[in-house]
Amino acid sequence: MSWFYRNLVRPALFSLDSEEIHNRTLDVLGWLSRQGVLCEALASLYQATDLPIELFGLRFPNPVGLAAGMDKHAAAVPAWEALGFGFIELGGVTWHPQPGNPAPRLFRAVSDAALINRMGFNNPGAEAVAARLAEWRAWGRWPNHPVGINLGKSKIAPLGTAAADYANSFRILGPHADFFVVNVSSPNTPNLRQLQDKAALDEILAALQEQQPGAGVSPASESSSHRAGETPALHCAKPILVKVAPDLSFEALDEILELAGPRQLAGIVATNTTITRPETSDPDLKRIYAEAGGLSGRPLRARSTEIVRHLYCQTKGSLPIIGVGGIFNAEDAWEKITSGASLVQLYTGLVYEGPGLVKEVVRGLQQRLEESGLGSLKEAVGTGNT
Ligand SMILES: Cc1cc2nc3c(=O)[nH]c(=O)nc-3n(C[C@H](O)[C@H](O)[C@H](O)COP(=O)(O)O)c2cc1C
């Protein structure tokens, strides 16, 4: 299947504008999501085997998730499950609806298997996403895996009011998802990454904590909607993670880690896209790399793994990490897990390798577990660091 995608489907898709293809794919997946029978047919092709792991009180049927940015409208929630994902992160969602940056804003660097984007949090706003999520539940199409939401800052909100802006989104979306990711690491909203500064981030996390029902209760000790097979408990404290940039120094990462205990962080998502560019003498790549925005895909892999490893070693494995950046196959996912990630996510790999990728990665992880004689995924986490 991936040969078919790589050699026949991908060349056709890549002959068209990247954002246009993205939108059309989401339209098709959104339509499929409403057709129960077709979704089942999709699942019969792509459903991954069970490779369960429990983390921050949630049960994940497998550790491979959809990274933020792919489905900002919650347009195709059931389809991602049919494509084999063990969890999804919707968004980035901001409090105010916003169009994002002017197009073109998404570029392919094909020979490096990379993307550059400067989308700028184009999204319909927290209230519209909450309404869409309520619809999926009402239609009985809610997936059997955890659903997370990536929270961004509205462009019109000055940095000084960022905490209130994030808190507004969290208040509206809180009942509709299983976990939340505070995104202060996108390079495409002016000055957003300054919010990775410890004091600014602390203010945002404090504002979100205040919105948690029964504020002060550890998310991990509360019941949540994906505690294996339970009916959704809509009003309970939700795990909150922070997503970091690959361009942060280890010292800056360590400062963020200092907030984990006081602000009851459930984990870290590492990493977002990078503003750095690989060396190249290829004139086509040079032209694409001159575009402003965040780079994802293969050139990001090593740096994001390095960050995962650093976070794992600094916390001695006590803080869950979701590893993301440049995962294109099971080997890449295994590298992230053995470096310290308990879960992984992918975006660019899906664009380059096609819809069979999740199933292939889960199968490959299962094989590696068996080969290494480990009984569960949890036992593999961080084993490459000793
Ligand atoms: C087009 C595009 C849009 C993205 N939008 C978001 C976003 O809204 N919020 C976020 O935290 N990350 C966003 N990301 C970053 C991804 O979630 C991921 O961290 C990054 O692409 C690295 O993973 P990859 O190499 O598998 O693509 C986006 C990435 C791409 C390519």
Side-chain angles (χ1 to χ4, degrees), residues 67-69 72 91-92 106 115 117 119 121 150 183 243 271-273 296-297 300 324-326 346-348:
K72 296 186 185 216
L106 180 58
L115 295 173
N117 90 84
M119 305 302 287
F121 288 150
N150 181 276
N183 177 11
K243 185 164 179 179
T271 65
N272 214 313
T273 54
S296 59
L300 177 60
V324 51
L346 41 96
Y347 184 134
T348 309

Side-chain angles (χ1 to χ4, degrees), residues 201-203 205-207 209 219 240 258-266:
L201 184 57
D202 190 38
E203 205 184 317
L205 295 174
Q209 252 185 328
I240 294 175
E258 285 170 19
L259 298 175
R263 293 296 170 210
Q264 298 175 355
L265 278 190

Side-chain angles (χ1 to χ4, degrees), residues 263-302:
R263 293 296 170 210
Q264 298 175 355
L265 278 190
I268 303 279
V269 182
T271 65
N272 214 313
T273 54
T274 175
I275 55 169
T276 66
R277 299 289 185 263
E279 291 284 321
T280 179
S281 52
D282 177 332
D284 287 339
L285 281 179
K286 271 196 170 142
R287 185 176 42 79
I288 292 162
Y289 286 156
E291 294 289 349
L295 175 77
S296 59
R298 203 158 269 152
L300 177 60
R301 199 202 85 231

Side-chain angles (χ1 to χ4, degrees), residues 16-35:
L16 300 167
D17 172 72
S18 22
E19 189 173 354
E20 172 74 21
I21 282 300
H22 174 90
N23 292 341
R24 281 204 220 165
T25 307
L26 263 287
D27 286 348
V28 171
L29 290 176
W31 178 79
L32 278 171
S33 292
R34 288 176 173 77
Q35 324 297 322

